[in-house]
Amino acid sequence: MTTRTIAVVSAGLSTPSSTRLLADRLATATVAALRERGEDAVVEVVELREHARDLADAFVTGFPNAALRAAVGTVTGADAVLAVTPVFTASYSGLFKSFVDVLEEGALTGKPVLLAATAGTARHSLVLEHAMRPLFAHLRAVTVPTAVFAASEDWAGGDGGELGRRITRAAGELADVVTGRPASARPADPFADVPSFEDLLRGGS
């Protein structure tokens, strides 16, 4: 049985957050869908709130630190990605976009991606098609047809409501794409031999 790696990118800002809750449900459904197709799976979560300062440092210095490099490696080396963000001002969050901006060109080319977002009301659901899908099309990722949006009222339906059905459908679509591909090999870290910014400062003092 082939073991697949599913990377979960969650851009929620609180602990716990509805964004992480949705990400966890999507991950559980994806693992179940893969097992139904004869594939095992492991889930690796990247909580972007834990890398907020790492991202800011990367923009200022031009180099990601070790923690951020590990997070990027988790995403680029996975067989598929669950990308989940809260909606801010009719778009994905700045934290989410900052992470995307530190990815190397071509890092997500051909990568299967399931898009998801959370917000207070259903009127924000257009973000999936008007902001997130064009972003990942630019990155040349392979997004599955069903994207998942969860508004505050959607959580009242439990696993059997419309949200649960969309999660199951989207997870099945992602599993179908993943099982038709060879398992991914984690790419080498191009910055493995580059000293950290802190080491460079200490060396110059």
Side-chain angles (χ1 to χ4, degrees):
M1 181 181 289
T2 304
T3 299
R4 306 288 186 161
T5 302
I6 308 301
V8 178
V9 179
S10 173
L13 297 181
S14 60
T15 304
S17 67
S18 59
T19 300
R20 178 60 187 270
L21 178 60
L22 178 58
D24 287 345
R25 287 187 60 179
L26 287 166
T28 299
T30 300
V31 170
L34 284 167
R35 287 177 177 163
E36 289 173 359
R37 291 157 176 78
E39 304 269 1
D40 202 358
V42 294
V43 175
E44 298 183 356
V45 179
V46 176
E47 273 282 7
L48 295 187
R49 67 183 299 274
E50 298 174 0
H51 297 285
R53 291 184 180 177
D54 299 333
L55 287 164
D57 288 344
F59 284 122
V60 173
T61 65
F63 294 99
N65 62 21
L68 185 55
R69 290 201 305 270
V72 169
T74 294
V75 173
T76 58
D79 292 287
V81 177
L82 309 179
V84 193
T85 178
V87 176
F88 291 157
T89 320
S91 188
Y92 34 72
S93 72
L95 183 61
F96 182 84
K97 183 57 164 57
S98 293
F99 182 73
V100 171
D101 285 342
V102 301
L103 299 177
E104 293 287 330
E105 183 177 355
L108 295 185
T109 297
K111 185 78 67 182
V113 177
L114 193 165
L115 306 176
T118 60
T121 62
R123 66 189 177 90
H124 295 292
S125 62
L126 290 176
V127 164
L128 289 166
E129 303 302 328
H130 289 265
M132 292 189 73
R133 201 176 294 278
L135 173 64
F136 283 89
H138 173 75
L139 298 173
R140 299 193 178 109
V142 178
T143 55
V144 298
T146 301
V148 179
F149 179 84
S152 297
E153 65 264 23
D154 292 323
W155 300 108
D159 292 343
E162 177 59 27
L163 176 60
R165 288 189 287 271
R166 287 186 66 83
I167 288 173
T168 300
R169 183 166 70 249
E173 292 171 355
L174 186 64
D176 285 340
V177 176
V178 170
T179 53
R181 297 163 173 250
S184 293
R186 193 174 295 274
D189 182 359
F191 297 101
D193 298 324
V194 177
S196 69
F197 188 63
E198 292 82 1
D199 290 339
L200 290 172
L201 287 175
R202 282 196 294 270
S205 60

